[in-house]
Every structure is written in C-alpha cells, then in structure tokens.
Amino acid sequence: QVQLVESGGGLVQAGGSLRLSCAASGSIFTINAMGWYRQAPGKQRQLVAGITTSGTTTYTNSVKGRFTISRDAAKNTVYLQMDSLKAEDTGVYYCAAGWVPRSPIEVRPQDYWGQGTQVTVSS
C-alpha cells in the first residue's frame, strides 16, 4: 500500500498562486507516477497533471502554461505550482499515485489516492 498526504490548499484571489504538496510513503516501489486530479462541485474528477519517475509530464489543456508539476525523488514528494489562478480552478484537489506504462501517452496514475485538499479561487 501507498499512503499519500496532501497539503497546501486554501483560499486565494483570482490571479494569485498556490502550491500543493503530496508526500508518498509505504510501498513506493509499486508506483512510477504521481499526479493531481481536480473535482469541481457537481462535476467528475479530472486529471490536472501527472509526472513519472523519469520526468514525463502530462497537463490538461486548461492549465497548460499556468500550472507546473514537479517531484522531489529524495522526499517521495510531488508538487503542483499553480499560478494565474482562475475561478474555474476551484475544487477539491486529489493527489494520486500508481503504475503507468513506460512511455505513456498520458500520465494518469489511479491506484492510490489522497484525502483531497480544497482550493477556492475567488473572482
């Protein structure tokens, strides 16, 4: 099992920035990718960004150029730097981890989930 602990959510004005962190522990050898999903009220959870241990990244179109996903291998931690935030970025952000194909078309880990952290962007 892999445990994921998220931090960094909160309330921010449109145009502002937040950084989310997610620390993984447990059976780390069973995962090769981590990522962030977002669930807005009344909507399905969707992938925001993912990153593999080799550095391959995926971003959903709406956050390209504004969000940056990165990882610190020594700390088993993944970060999501969110800049130029918009009201439509509001939602619960979930950290996820899992095993993805070696050369994925899209980095979409889904085996383990964190508890979620609320991000609210006021317009």
Side-chain angles (χ1 to χ4, degrees), residues 20-56:
L20 305 182
S21 301
C22 176
S25 61
S27 302
I28 302 300
F29 61 90
T30 65
I31 65 173
N32 68 347
M34 295 179 70
W36 292 94
Y37 290 73
R38 174 174 68 205
Q39 187 163 21
K43 296 188 177 181
Q44 289 187 330
R45 192 176 301 185
Q46 64 167 167
L47 176 69
V48 175
I51 186 168
T52 68
T53 51
S54 61
T56 300

PDB file of all heavy atoms in Angstrom, residues 20-56:
ATOM      1  N   LEU A  20       0.642  23.109  -4.063  1.00  0.00           N
ATOM      2  CA  LEU A  20       0.199  21.892  -3.385  1.00  0.00           C
ATOM      3  C   LEU A  20       1.374  20.922  -3.275  1.00  0.00           C
ATOM      4  O   LEU A  20       2.211  20.856  -4.172  1.00  0.00           O
ATOM      5  CB  LEU A  20      -0.937  21.223  -4.148  1.00  0.00           C
ATOM      6  CG  LEU A  20      -2.172  22.083  -4.455  1.00  0.00           C
ATOM      7  CD1 LEU A  20      -3.221  21.231  -5.186  1.00  0.00           C
ATOM      8  CD2 LEU A  20      -2.747  22.679  -3.204  1.00  0.00           C
ATOM      9  N   SER A  21       1.391  20.195  -2.162  1.00  0.00           N
ATOM     10  CA  SER A  21       2.406  19.171  -1.953  1.00  0.00           C
ATOM     11  C   SER A  21       1.730  17.847  -1.640  1.00  0.00           C
ATOM     12  O   SER A  21       0.659  17.818  -1.039  1.00  0.00           O
ATOM     13  CB  SER A  21       3.329  19.547  -0.788  1.00  0.00           C
ATOM     14  OG  SER A  21       3.985  20.767  -1.009  1.00  0.00           O
ATOM     15  N   CYS A  22       2.375  16.767  -2.033  1.00  0.00           N
ATOM     16  CA  CYS A  22       1.863  15.432  -1.747  1.00  0.00           C
ATOM     17  C   CYS A  22       3.037  14.510  -1.450  1.00  0.00           C
ATOM     18  O   CYS A  22       3.893  14.290  -2.318  1.00  0.00           O
ATOM     19  CB  CYS A  22       1.062  14.896  -2.926  1.00  0.00           C
ATOM     20  SG  CYS A  22       0.492  13.196  -2.706  1.00  0.00           S
ATOM     21  N   ALA A  23       3.081  14.014  -0.225  1.00  0.00           N
ATOM     22  CA  ALA A  23       4.162  13.121   0.195  1.00  0.00           C
ATOM     23  C   ALA A  23       3.668  11.679   0.178  1.00  0.00           C
ATOM     24  O   ALA A  23       2.612  11.382   0.745  1.00  0.00           O
ATOM     25  CB  ALA A  23       4.647  13.507   1.579  1.00  0.00           C
ATOM     26  N   ALA A  24       4.439  10.815  -0.442  1.00  0.00           N
ATOM     27  CA  ALA A  24       4.096   9.395  -0.523  1.00  0.00           C
ATOM     28  C   ALA A  24       4.955   8.592   0.445  1.00  0.00           C
ATOM     29  O   ALA A  24       6.131   8.893   0.656  1.00  0.00           O
ATOM     30  CB  ALA A  24       4.300   8.888  -1.939  1.00  0.00           C
ATOM     31  N   SER A  25       4.342   7.574   1.015  1.00  0.00           N
ATOM     32  CA  SER A  25       5.071   6.663   1.899  1.00  0.00           C
ATOM     33  C   SER A  25       4.504   5.261   1.739  1.00  0.00           C
ATOM     34  O   SER A  25       3.448   5.071   1.136  1.00  0.00           O
ATOM     35  CB  SER A  25       4.959   7.122   3.359  1.00  0.00           C
ATOM     36  OG  SER A  25       3.610   7.122   3.776  1.00  0.00           O
ATOM     37  N   GLY A  26       5.219   4.293   2.287  1.00  0.00           N
ATOM     38  CA  GLY A  26       4.774   2.907   2.175  1.00  0.00           C
ATOM     39  C   GLY A  26       5.508   2.188   1.057  1.00  0.00           C
ATOM     40  O   GLY A  26       6.714   2.331   0.899  1.00  0.00           O
ATOM     41  N   SER A  27       4.775   1.435   0.267  1.00  0.00           N
ATOM     42  CA  SER A  27       5.366   0.610  -0.804  1.00  0.00           C
ATOM     43  C   SER A  27       5.634   1.443  -2.059  1.00  0.00           C
ATOM     44  O   SER A  27       5.033   1.239  -3.119  1.00  0.00           O
ATOM     45  CB  SER A  27       4.438  -0.558  -1.115  1.00  0.00           C
ATOM     46  OG  SER A  27       4.202  -1.352   0.028  1.00  0.00           O
ATOM     47  N   ILE A  28       6.593   2.346  -1.935  1.00  0.00           N
ATOM     48  CA  ILE A  28       6.914   3.287  -3.019  1.00  0.00           C
ATOM     49  C   ILE A  28       7.355   2.554  -4.281  1.00  0.00           C
ATOM     50  O   ILE A  28       7.128   3.028  -5.397  1.00  0.00           O
ATOM     51  CB  ILE A  28       7.999   4.271  -2.555  1.00  0.00           C
ATOM     52  CG1 ILE A  28       7.553   5.032  -1.317  1.00  0.00           C
ATOM     53  CG2 ILE A  28       8.345   5.261  -3.666  1.00  0.00           C
ATOM     54  CD1 ILE A  28       6.299   5.851  -1.530  1.00  0.00           C
ATOM     55  N   PHE A  29       7.967   1.383  -4.122  1.00  0.00           N
ATOM     56  CA  PHE A  29       8.478   0.646  -5.281  1.00  0.00           C
ATOM     57  C   PHE A  29       7.366   0.177  -6.217  1.00  0.00           C
ATOM     58  O   PHE A  29       7.623  -0.235  -7.342  1.00  0.00           O
ATOM     59  CB  PHE A  29       9.283  -0.567  -4.804  1.00  0.00           C
ATOM     60  CG  PHE A  29       8.485  -1.543  -3.991  1.00  0.00           C
ATOM     61  CD1 PHE A  29       7.812  -2.602  -4.588  1.00  0.00           C
ATOM     62  CD2 PHE A  29       8.391  -1.408  -2.616  1.00  0.00           C
ATOM     63  CE1 PHE A  29       7.082  -3.492  -3.847  1.00  0.00           C
ATOM     64  CE2 PHE A  29       7.654  -2.296  -1.856  1.00  0.00           C
ATOM     65  CZ  PHE A  29       6.994  -3.341  -2.477  1.00  0.00           C
ATOM     66  N   THR A  30       6.103   0.243  -5.757  1.00  0.00           N
ATOM     67  CA  THR A  30       4.977  -0.201  -6.593  1.00  0.00           C
ATOM     68  C   THR A  30       4.431   0.911  -7.484  1.00  0.00           C
ATOM     69  O   THR A  30       3.506   0.681  -8.258  1.00  0.00           O
ATOM     70  CB  THR A  30       3.822  -0.732  -5.727  1.00  0.00           C
ATOM     71  OG1 THR A  30       3.296   0.340  -4.930  1.00  0.00           O
ATOM     72  CG2 THR A  30       4.290  -1.861  -4.829  1.00  0.00           C
ATOM     73  N   ILE A  31       4.978   2.110  -7.384  1.00  0.00           N
ATOM     74  CA  ILE A  31       4.486   3.219  -8.206  1.00  0.00           C
ATOM     75  C   ILE A  31       5.602   3.805  -9.049  1.00  0.00           C
ATOM     76  O   ILE A  31       6.779   3.760  -8.662  1.00  0.00           O
ATOM     77  CB  ILE A  31       3.835   4.328  -7.353  1.00  0.00           C
ATOM     78  CG1 ILE A  31       4.880   4.985  -6.437  1.00  0.00           C
ATOM     79  CG2 ILE A  31       2.667   3.780  -6.550  1.00  0.00           C
ATOM     80  CD1 ILE A  31       4.348   6.207  -5.681  1.00  0.00           C
ATOM     81  N   ASN A  32       5.243   4.337 -10.205  1.00  0.00           N
ATOM     82  CA  ASN A  32       6.220   5.055 -11.021  1.00  0.00           C
ATOM     83  C   ASN A  32       5.672   6.389 -11.516  1.00  0.00           C
ATOM     84  O   ASN A  32       6.251   7.026 -12.400  1.00  0.00           O
ATOM     85  CB  ASN A  32       6.682   4.201 -12.210  1.00  0.00           C
ATOM     86  CG  ASN A  32       5.574   3.979 -13.233  1.00  0.00           C
ATOM     87  OD1 ASN A  32       4.402   4.252 -12.975  1.00  0.00           O
ATOM     88  ND2 ASN A  32       5.940   3.492 -14.392  1.00  0.00           N
ATOM     89  N   ALA A  33       4.547   6.799 -10.943  1.00  0.00           N
ATOM     90  CA  ALA A  33       3.964   8.074 -11.358  1.00  0.00           C
ATOM     91  C   ALA A  33       3.088   8.622 -10.245  1.00  0.00           C
ATOM     92  O   ALA A  33       2.501   7.859  -9.461  1.00  0.00           O
ATOM     93  CB  ALA A  33       3.134   7.904 -12.626  1.00  0.00           C
ATOM     94  N   MET A  34       3.016   9.929 -10.202  1.00  0.00           N
ATOM     95  CA  MET A  34       2.120  10.621  -9.285  1.00  0.00           C
ATOM     96  C   MET A  34       1.439  11.758 -10.036  1.00  0.00           C
ATOM     97  O   MET A  34       1.924  12.215 -11.083  1.00  0.00           O
ATOM     98  CB  MET A  34       2.891  11.162  -8.074  1.00  0.00           C
ATOM     99  CG  MET A  34       3.479  10.076  -7.203  1.00  0.00           C
ATOM    100  SD  MET A  34       4.410  10.694  -5.776  1.00  0.00           S
ATOM    101  CE  MET A  34       3.094  11.367  -4.768  1.00  0.00           C
ATOM    102  N   GLY A  35       0.337  12.205  -9.510  1.00  0.00           N
ATOM    103  CA  GLY A  35      -0.366  13.258 -10.211  1.00  0.00           C
ATOM    104  C   GLY A  35      -1.407  13.928  -9.355  1.00  0.00           C
ATOM    105  O   GLY A  35      -1.590  13.576  -8.181  1.00  0.00           O
ATOM    106  N   TRP A  36      -2.080  14.884  -9.971  1.00  0.00           N
ATOM    107  CA  TRP A  36      -3.132  15.634  -9.298  1.00  0.00           C
ATOM    108  C   TRP A  36      -4.398  15.611 -10.144  1.00  0.00           C
ATOM    109  O   TRP A  36      -4.339  15.796 -11.366  1.00  0.00           O
ATOM    110  CB  TRP A  36      -2.702  17.089  -9.098  1.00  0.00           C
ATOM    111  CG  TRP A  36      -1.594  17.246  -8.116  1.00  0.00           C
ATOM    112  CD1 TRP A  36      -0.256  17.295  -8.386  1.00  0.00           C
ATOM    113  CD2 TRP A  36      -1.726  17.358  -6.695  1.00  0.00           C
ATOM    114  NE1 TRP A  36       0.456  17.428  -7.219  1.00  0.00           N
ATOM    115  CE2 TRP A  36      -0.420  17.481  -6.165  1.00  0.00           C
ATOM    116  CE3 TRP A  36      -2.805  17.392  -5.813  1.00  0.00           C
ATOM    117  CZ2 TRP A  36      -0.174  17.622  -4.801  1.00  0.00           C
ATOM    118  CZ3 TRP A  36      -2.560  17.527  -4.462  1.00  0.00           C
ATOM    119  CH2 TRP A  36      -1.263  17.635  -3.969  1.00  0.00           C
ATOM    120  N   TYR A  37      -5.505  15.379  -9.470  1.00  0.00           N
ATOM    121  CA  TYR A  37      -6.824  15.436 -10.086  1.00  0.00           C
ATOM    122  C   TYR A  37      -7.628  16.528  -9.383  1.00  0.00           C
ATOM    123  O   TYR A  37      -7.348  16.881  -8.236  1.00  0.00           O
ATOM    124  CB  TYR A  37      -7.554  14.095  -9.920  1.00  0.00           C
ATOM    125  CG  TYR A  37      -6.970  12.967 -10.733  1.00  0.00           C
ATOM    126  CD1 TYR A  37      -5.762  12.379 -10.388  1.00  0.00           C
ATOM    127  CD2 TYR A  37      -7.634  12.469 -11.853  1.00  0.00           C
ATOM    128  CE1 TYR A  37      -5.224  11.337 -11.127  1.00  0.00           C
ATOM    129  CE2 TYR A  37      -7.117  11.412 -12.601  1.00  0.00           C
ATOM    130  CZ  TYR A  37      -5.908  10.864 -12.228  1.00  0.00           C
ATOM    131  OH  TYR A  37      -5.379   9.833 -12.960  1.00  0.00           O
ATOM    132  N   ARG A  38      -8.628  17.023 -10.063  1.00  0.00           N
ATOM    133  CA  ARG A  38      -9.488  18.069  -9.521  1.00  0.00           C
ATOM    134  C   ARG A  38     -10.942  17.647  -9.690  1.00  0.00           C
ATOM    135  O   ARG A  38     -11.336  17.153 -10.740  1.00  0.00           O
ATOM    136  CB  ARG A  38      -9.235  19.393 -10.243  1.00  0.00           C
ATOM    137  CG  ARG A  38     -10.159  20.527  -9.871  1.00  0.00           C
ATOM    138  CD  ARG A  38      -9.698  21.805 -10.542  1.00  0.00           C
ATOM    139  NE  ARG A  38      -9.846  21.775 -11.984  1.00  0.00           N
ATOM    140  CZ  ARG A  38      -9.114  22.515 -12.824  1.00  0.00           C
ATOM    141  NH1 ARG A  38      -8.184  23.321 -12.350  1.00  0.00           N
ATOM    142  NH2 ARG A  38      -9.317  22.452 -14.123  1.00  0.00           N
ATOM    143  N   GLN A  39     -11.726  17.909  -8.634  1.00  0.00           N
ATOM    144  CA  GLN A  39     -13.161  17.662  -8.717  1.00  0.00           C
ATOM    145  C   GLN A  39     -13.901  18.922  -8.301  1.00  0.00           C
ATOM    146  O   GLN A  39     -13.847  19.330  -7.135  1.00  0.00           O
ATOM    147  CB  GLN A  39     -13.585  16.493  -7.828  1.00  0.00           C
ATOM    148  CG  GLN A  39     -15.039  16.098  -8.020  1.00  0.00           C
ATOM    149  CD  GLN A  39     -15.351  14.731  -7.469  1.00  0.00           C
ATOM    150  OE1 GLN A  39     -14.637  14.201  -6.607  1.00  0.00           O
ATOM    151  NE2 GLN A  39     -16.413  14.127  -7.961  1.00  0.00           N
ATOM    152  N   ALA A  40     -14.543  19.540  -9.281  1.00  0.00           N
ATOM    153  CA  ALA A  40     -15.346  20.728  -9.008  1.00  0.00           C
ATOM    154  C   ALA A  40     -16.742  20.288  -8.569  1.00  0.00           C
ATOM    155  O   ALA A  40     -17.167  19.163  -8.870  1.00  0.00           O
ATOM    156  CB  ALA A  40     -15.429  21.592 -10.261  1.00  0.00           C
ATOM    157  N   PRO A  41     -17.451  21.148  -7.864  1.00  0.00           N
ATOM    158  CA  PRO A  41     -18.795  20.788  -7.399  1.00  0.00           C
ATOM    159  C   PRO A  41     -19.705  20.345  -8.545  1.00  0.00           C
ATOM    160  O   PRO A  41     -19.815  21.042  -9.550  1.00  0.00           O
ATOM    161  CB  PRO A  41     -19.297  22.090  -6.764  1.00  0.00           C
ATOM    162  CG  PRO A  41     -18.060  22.804  -6.346  1.00  0.00           C
ATOM    163  CD  PRO A  41     -17.040  22.482  -7.389  1.00  0.00           C
ATOM    164  N   GLY A  42     -20.293  19.178  -8.402  1.00  0.00           N
ATOM    165  CA  GLY A  42     -21.217  18.676  -9.401  1.00  0.00           C
ATOM    166  C   GLY A  42     -20.565  18.107 -10.648  1.00  0.00           C
ATOM    167  O   GLY A  42     -21.262  17.775 -11.608  1.00  0.00           O
ATOM    168  N   LYS A  43     -19.252  18.006 -10.652  1.00  0.00           N
ATOM    169  CA  LYS A  43     -18.543  17.509 -11.834  1.00  0.00           C
ATOM    170  C   LYS A  43     -17.706  16.288 -11.501  1.00  0.00           C
ATOM    171  O   LYS A  43     -17.423  16.010 -10.344  1.00  0.00           O
ATOM    172  CB  LYS A  43     -17.672  18.617 -12.431  1.00  0.00           C
ATOM    173  CG  LYS A  43     -18.450  19.805 -12.945  1.00  0.00           C
ATOM    174  CD  LYS A  43     -17.556  20.777 -13.689  1.00  0.00           C
ATOM    175  CE  LYS A  43     -18.356  21.924 -14.266  1.00  0.00           C
ATOM    176  NZ  LYS A  43     -17.486  22.872 -15.009  1.00  0.00           N
ATOM    177  N   GLN A  44     -17.316  15.590 -12.546  1.00  0.00           N
ATOM    178  CA  GLN A  44     -16.471  14.417 -12.349  1.00  0.00           C
ATOM    179  C   GLN A  44     -15.031  14.827 -12.046  1.00  0.00           C
ATOM    180  O   GLN A  44     -14.583  15.911 -12.421  1.00  0.00           O
ATOM    181  CB  GLN A  44     -16.509  13.548 -13.614  1.00  0.00           C
ATOM    182  CG  GLN A  44     -17.824  12.834 -13.847  1.00  0.00           C
ATOM    183  CD  GLN A  44     -17.750  11.858 -15.006  1.00  0.00           C
ATOM    184  OE1 GLN A  44     -16.994  12.053 -15.951  1.00  0.00           O
ATOM    185  NE2 GLN A  44     -18.516  10.787 -14.935  1.00  0.00           N
ATOM    186  N   ARG A  45     -14.345  13.951 -11.364  1.00  0.00           N
ATOM    187  CA  ARG A  45     -12.932  14.167 -11.093  1.00  0.00           C
ATOM    188  C   ARG A  45     -12.159  14.077 -12.412  1.00  0.00           C
ATOM    189  O   ARG A  45     -12.379  13.172 -13.212  1.00  0.00           O
ATOM    190  CB  ARG A  45     -12.432  13.104 -10.111  1.00  0.00           C
ATOM    191  CG  ARG A  45     -11.071  13.377  -9.529  1.00  0.00           C
ATOM    192  CD  ARG A  45     -10.727  12.320  -8.490  1.00  0.00           C
ATOM    193  NE  ARG A  45     -11.693  12.277  -7.387  1.00  0.00           N
ATOM    194  CZ  ARG A  45     -11.540  11.509  -6.323  1.00  0.00           C
ATOM    195  NH1 ARG A  45     -10.461  10.725  -6.210  1.00  0.00           N
ATOM    196  NH2 ARG A  45     -12.445  11.508  -5.374  1.00  0.00           N
ATOM    197  N   GLN A  46     -11.264  15.026 -12.627  1.00  0.00           N
ATOM    198  CA  GLN A  46     -10.495  15.032 -13.867  1.00  0.00           C
ATOM    199  C   GLN A  46      -9.015  15.215 -13.587  1.00  0.00           C
ATOM    200  O   GLN A  46      -8.636  15.849 -12.610  1.00  0.00           O
ATOM    201  CB  GLN A  46     -10.969  16.133 -14.822  1.00  0.00           C
ATOM    202  CG  GLN A  46     -10.763  17.534 -14.313  1.00  0.00           C
ATOM    203  CD  GLN A  46     -10.949  18.604 -15.371  1.00  0.00           C
ATOM    204  OE1 GLN A  46     -11.039  19.781 -15.066  1.00  0.00           O
ATOM    205  NE2 GLN A  46     -10.999  18.228 -16.636  1.00  0.00           N
ATOM    206  N   LEU A  47      -8.196  14.665 -14.448  1.00  0.00           N
ATOM    207  CA  LEU A  47      -6.756  14.783 -14.313  1.00  0.00           C
ATOM    208  C   LEU A  47      -6.336  16.232 -14.567  1.00  0.00           C
ATOM    209  O   LEU A  47      -6.762  16.850 -15.545  1.00  0.00           O
ATOM    210  CB  LEU A  47      -6.049  13.861 -15.308  1.00  0.00           C
ATOM    211  CG  LEU A  47      -4.529  13.937 -15.342  1.00  0.00           C
ATOM    212  CD1 LEU A  47      -3.932  13.377 -14.052  1.00  0.00           C
ATOM    213  CD2 LEU A  47      -3.987  13.185 -16.555  1.00  0.00           C
ATOM    214  N   VAL A  48      -5.507  16.766 -13.695  1.00  0.00           N
ATOM    215  CA  VAL A  48      -4.936  18.089 -13.885  1.00  0.00           C
ATOM    216  C   VAL A  48      -3.517  17.972 -14.420  1.00  0.00           C
ATOM    217  O   VAL A  48      -3.160  18.603 -15.405  1.00  0.00           O
ATOM    218  CB  VAL A  48      -4.929  18.881 -12.559  1.00  0.00           C
ATOM    219  CG1 VAL A  48      -4.211  20.220 -12.736  1.00  0.00           C
ATOM    220  CG2 VAL A  48      -6.351  19.091 -12.062  1.00  0.00           C
ATOM    221  N   ALA A  49      -2.701  17.154 -13.765  1.00  0.00           N
ATOM    222  CA  ALA A  49      -1.314  16.974 -14.191  1.00  0.00           C
ATOM    223  C   ALA A  49      -0.764  15.690 -13.603  1.00  0.00           C
ATOM    224  O   ALA A  49      -1.191  15.247 -12.537  1.00  0.00           O
ATOM    225  CB  ALA A  49      -0.450  18.152 -13.755  1.00  0.00           C
ATOM    226  N   GLY A  50       0.180  15.086 -14.335  1.00  0.00           N
ATOM    227  CA  GLY A  50       0.826  13.873 -13.858  1.00  0.00           C
ATOM    228  C   GLY A  50       2.298  13.900 -14.222  1.00  0.00           C
ATOM    229  O   GLY A  50       2.709  14.589 -15.167  1.00  0.00           O
ATOM    230  N   ILE A  51       3.096  13.150 -13.462  1.00  0.00           N
ATOM    231  CA  ILE A  51       4.533  13.093 -13.709  1.00  0.00           C
ATOM    232  C   ILE A  51       5.037  11.704 -13.369  1.00  0.00           C
ATOM    233  O   ILE A  51       4.620  11.101 -12.377  1.00  0.00           O
ATOM    234  CB  ILE A  51       5.291  14.171 -12.896  1.00  0.00           C
ATOM    235  CG1 ILE A  51       6.768  14.213 -13.272  1.00  0.00           C
ATOM    236  CG2 ILE A  51       5.112  13.957 -11.395  1.00  0.00           C
ATOM    237  CD1 ILE A  51       7.501  15.443 -12.720  1.00  0.00           C
ATOM    238  N   THR A  52       5.925  11.176 -14.217  1.00  0.00           N
ATOM    239  CA  THR A  52       6.511   9.868 -13.955  1.00  0.00           C
ATOM    240  C   THR A  52       7.861  10.029 -13.264  1.00  0.00           C
ATOM    241  O   THR A  52       8.410  11.132 -13.198  1.00  0.00           O
ATOM    242  CB  THR A  52       6.711   9.079 -15.256  1.00  0.00           C
ATOM    243  OG1 THR A  52       7.745   9.729 -16.033  1.00  0.00           O
ATOM    244  CG2 THR A  52       5.434   9.018 -16.083  1.00  0.00           C
ATOM    245  N   THR A  53       8.396   8.918 -12.789  1.00  0.00           N
ATOM    246  CA  THR A  53       9.701   8.956 -12.147  1.00  0.00           C
ATOM    247  C   THR A  53      10.799   9.337 -13.131  1.00  0.00           C
ATOM    248  O   THR A  53      11.860   9.811 -12.721  1.00  0.00           O
ATOM    249  CB  THR A  53      10.031   7.612 -11.508  1.00  0.00           C
ATOM    250  OG1 THR A  53       9.847   6.575 -12.471  1.00  0.00           O
ATOM    251  CG2 THR A  53       9.130   7.338 -10.306  1.00  0.00           C
ATOM    252  N   SER A  54      10.559   9.170 -14.423  1.00  0.00           N
ATOM    253  CA  SER A  54      11.540   9.556 -15.435  1.00  0.00           C
ATOM    254  C   SER A  54      11.356  10.989 -15.899  1.00  0.00           C
ATOM    255  O   SER A  54      12.120  11.470 -16.735  1.00  0.00           O
ATOM    256  CB  SER A  54      11.460   8.609 -16.635  1.00  0.00           C
ATOM    257  OG  SER A  54      10.186   8.675 -17.233  1.00  0.00           O
ATOM    258  N   GLY A  55      10.333  11.659 -15.382  1.00  0.00           N
ATOM    259  CA  GLY A  55      10.146  13.066 -15.684  1.00  0.00           C
ATOM    260  C   GLY A  55       9.133  13.384 -16.768  1.00  0.00           C
ATOM    261  O   GLY A  55       8.919  14.560 -17.098  1.00  0.00           O
ATOM    262  N   THR A  56       8.492  12.379 -17.328  1.00  0.00           N
ATOM    263  CA  THR A  56       7.445  12.630 -18.314  1.00  0.00           C
ATOM    264  C   THR A  56       6.254  13.293 -17.632  1.00  0.00           C
ATOM    265  O   THR A  56       5.836  12.860 -16.562  1.00  0.00           O
ATOM    266  CB  THR A  56       6.996  11.322 -18.977  1.00  0.00           C
ATOM    267  OG1 THR A  56       8.119  10.711 -19.624  1.00  0.00           O
ATOM    268  CG2 THR A  56       5.903  11.579 -19.998  1.00  0.00           C
TER     269      THR A  56
END
